[in-house]
Amino acid sequence: MKSLPEIHAYWQEHNTCELKSTATQAVLGDGNPHADVVFIGEAPGKNEDLVGKPFIGAAGKFLSEMLESIKMKREDIYITNVVKYRPPNNRDPLPEEKETCRAWLNEELAAIKPKLIVFLGRHAMGNFFPDEKISAVHGKLLKKKIASLPTEYFLPLYHPAAALYNGGLREALLEDFQKIPLALKKITTS
Ligand code: URA
């Protein structure tokens, strides 16, 4: 089994994502390599691309506040993105861009072995549950055996960037976030 630094070094060299040519750098997953919870976002934005760390802009600040509300810190979790390079002008990542980063993400998850995977938004969820709609399943603990993944438990949430400026989504996200500790408790006692 490769370590996280080995996984990142390998894929930074061997990844064939075309976004590499326009991005400043790869934005690697960040946080606790032994975390019980891994959060998966969509793709880096402008600040993340410049600094090389995920979720450091406005959406990241909102995420840190929500973590605080469940007595967790960024250092307690691991956070990464489906796509490791910034799409130009923050457009949605294309299916082939997600595909070229898929093995990278799966290896990260296999190395960390979280108990729970939290999807931040529809792109992260769609990578593993292509037939579900985020509006229908947000805040619901999903259980599914997926080959090569270390856990069967997934919690889809609205993306914090989408919820920042939309009152309805914000309320739903704040409420759904409280389900993270409940889900963890359920997983560890089942
Ligand atoms: N949005 C994401 O999905 N990922 C980041 O790293 C930043 C913003």
Side-chain angles (χ1 to χ4, degrees):
M1 168 73 73
K2 282 188 273 181
S3 68
L4 270 178
E6 283 167 347
I7 292 165
H8 290 316
Y10 177 88
W11 285 111
Q12 275 177 280
E13 194 179 334
H14 293 93
N15 188 274
T16 55
C17 184
E18 296 209 345
L19 294 172
K20 249 178 162 173
S21 60
T22 49
T24 308
Q25 57 191 317
V27 174
L28 309 179
D30 184 49
N32 184 346
H34 308 292
D36 284 344
V37 191
V38 169
F39 286 72
I40 306 177
E42 176 182 328
K46 189 171 179 213
N47 293 309
E48 291 79 15
D49 174 68
L50 291 174
V51 177
K53 277 187 187 283
F55 283 94
I56 53 160
K61 190 165 172 279
F62 184 31
L63 184 67
S64 297
E65 286 167 17
M66 288 188 287
L67 283 169
E68 238 172 73
S69 79
I70 56 167
K71 309 211 164 21
M72 289 179 101
K73 296 197 238 15
R74 279 285 287 252
E75 301 86 272
D76 298 326
I77 63 150
Y78 184 88
I79 188 157
T80 190
N81 284 301
V82 171
V83 171
K84 305 294 195 266
Y85 300 91
R86 181 191 182 208
N89 303 315
N90 298 347
R91 65 156 167 74
D92 282 356
L94 302 172
E96 57 270 29
E97 292 160 357
K98 296 185 208 174
E99 205 45 53
T100 53
C101 281
R102 182 182 290 275
W104 190 342
L105 175 61
N106 284 348
E107 286 187 18
E108 276 181 291
L109 296 170
I112 298 164
K113 297 189 191 63
K115 296 189 170 98
L116 174 68
I117 293 174
V118 176
F119 301 131
L120 296 174
R122 63 192 171 89
H123 288 280
M125 184 180 74
N127 222 33
F128 301 94
F129 291 80
D131 300 326
E132 300 287 2
K133 286 231 168 311
I134 192 87
S135 54
V137 295
H138 69 90
K140 294 200 168 90
L141 185 64
L142 307 178
K143 189 168 187 238
K144 180 171 158 184
K145 226 183 185 55
I146 301 180
S148 87
L149 286 197
T151 179
E152 297 178 6
Y153 293 97
F154 306 87
L155 185 67
L157 302 182
Y158 283 120
H159 194 291
L164 257 180
Y165 306 108
N166 176 319
L169 294 191
R170 191 186 170 94
E171 280 304 304
L173 177 56
L174 290 171
E175 196 173 305
D176 290 347
F177 219 86
Q178 307 304 314
K179 300 189 179 145
I180 294 172
L182 299 176
L184 270 175
K185 204 165 169 189
K186 185 171 169 193
I187 295 163
T188 44
T189 54
S190 66

